Amino acid sequence: MTLATAFTKMHGLGNDFAVIDLRGGSANGAALTDISDTQAKAIADRRTGVGCDQIILIEKPRQKLADVYMRIRNADGSEVEACGNGARCVAALVMAETGRRHVIIESVVGLLDAEAASDGRISVDMGEARLDWREIPIAKPLDTLHLGIELGPLSDPVGVNIGNPHAVFFVPDAGAIDVAALGPVLERHPLFPEKANIEIAQLLSPTRIRMRVWERGVGITRACGTGACATLVAAHRRKLTGRKATIQLDGGDLEIEWLADGHVRMTGPAETSFTGRLDASLLG
């Protein structure tokens, strides 16, 4: 390992990332070919590392259509399949690098089309919403519109997979829910063999939903792109909204649309906070 590795600190509505370009070459100053679980936790540590919800790794694409390959590590070191806010951040970097307004990000869940939208925002096709119990996944055959889980004031969530598993609970007042206490228990509920992201959603109007989130492997975050997508899908399945709505998160708003072809489109900002280098002592 060389003395330092370049990174970019970015965020989407406060959901923050350390983005590391592993493609190599002097242009990005990459010094690593991969990071371990322990290294991911060290980078994410908010006292002794960079501090972030996730580490985003940019690699060379496997498929010719794609511009880059994206991998995601949670703050606890675990690797996960999808991250909507992270996808927008990667798209912003690749757009700046290439000068193009449309890029394709490859991930373990497939190809994600991203394009520049109005007001500096980025729109990403997050793929199809998967609704079958085997696709969430759920530990046993169930109607994913009514999972039957109860804990404290929370009950009857909707199961949705947007590249990763989600359980969406609808409540009268999202601000009244103790997400810090209930989130970690629900994340590890026996019904979710791969754990789950937990969304607490409050219908404000037929076109606006307030949402708070507990992300598996991270905890409470200010925003979750895939969670916002899952919430809109769940709300439409419950006949609470149409196929398009604004999701109001702690960090700001995302525009979500469940398209007629089953794909979910997410539009929101991607911001750069600063750039720096990881000293080798942090990753030892």
Side-chain angles (χ1 to χ4, degrees), residues 2-281:
T2 58
L3 291 178
T5 298
F7 72 91
T8 303
K9 179 68 181 289
M10 302 187 74
H11 72 93
L13 300 178
N15 182 198
D16 60 341
F17 314 100
V19 183
I20 302 174
D21 192 337
L22 298 180
R23 290 176 294 174
S26 58
N28 55 53
L32 298 172
T33 58
D34 198 0
I35 63 170
S36 67
D37 295 359
T38 300
Q39 289 170 332
K41 287 188 283 188
I43 294 168
D45 191 293
R46 295 191 182 276
R47 292 183 179 274
T48 58
V50 175
C52 57
D53 294 324
Q54 281 106 1
I55 297 95
I56 306 293
L57 306 176
I58 300 177
E59 301 177 354
K60 293 179 180 179
R62 278 67 158 169
Q63 299 187 41
K64 290 183 179 180
L65 283 176
D67 292 286
V68 294
Y69 190 93
M70 176 182 73
R71 291 170 54 205
I72 308 114
R73 291 293 191 105
N74 279 337
D76 68 355
S78 60
E79 187 159 1
V80 292
E81 306 88 348
C83 178
N85 291 321
R88 293 199 315 280
C89 289
V90 170
L93 288 176
V94 178
M95 287 176 186
E97 177 184 297
T98 62
R100 301 202 312 269
R101 292 178 60 84
H102 174 259
V103 299
I104 299 177
I105 301 168
E106 184 181 1
S107 71
V108 69
V109 297
L111 299 178
L112 308 177
D113 279 273
E115 59 185 11
S118 61
D119 302 323
R121 298 178 303 162
I122 292 174
S123 184
V124 181
D125 182 340
M126 294 299 295
E128 286 189 74
R130 291 178 282 176
L131 308 175
D132 186 87
W133 69 273
R134 287 157 289 209
E135 297 173 320
I136 304 300
I138 301 299
K140 60 183 179 181
L142 283 177
D143 175 5
T144 59
L145 190 56
H146 299 280
L147 292 184
I149 297 172
E150 295 186 10
L151 183 65
L154 302 179
S155 64
D156 193 29
V158 182
V160 184
N161 185 295
I162 305 288
N164 50 10
H166 296 267
V168 182
F169 292 85
F170 290 95
V171 298
D173 181 1
I177 302 301
D178 189 348
V179 180
L182 301 176
V185 179
L186 292 166
E187 173 193 353
R188 296 169 174 81
H189 192 281
L191 200 60
F192 304 120
E194 296 180 8
K195 301 182 183 179
N197 299 280
I198 306 302
E199 282 77 39
I200 312 301
Q202 174 187 351
L203 186 70
L204 300 177
S205 79
T207 59
R208 191 171 189 87
I209 301 170
R210 169 81 170 99
M211 189 200 93
R212 299 173 66 203
V213 61
W214 176 275
E215 289 197 54
R216 62 173 181 166
V218 182
I220 294 174
T221 61
R222 293 184 64 190
C224 176
T226 58
C229 294
T231 295
L232 183 276
V233 170
H236 182 70
R237 292 186 71 202
R238 286 275 176 92
K239 304 186 186 306
L240 300 174
T241 68
R243 300 185 75 94
K244 185 176 182 179
T246 298
I247 309 300
Q248 178 185 319
L249 304 146
D250 288 346
D253 293 349
L254 287 174
E255 304 297 327
I256 308 296
E257 183 174 8
W258 191 12
L259 303 171
D261 64 1
H263 286 231
V264 185
R265 181 164 289 279
M266 167 200 61
T267 303
E271 305 287 346
T272 296
S273 301
F274 57 88
T275 60
R277 290 185 173 273
L278 304 171
D279 191 83
S281 62

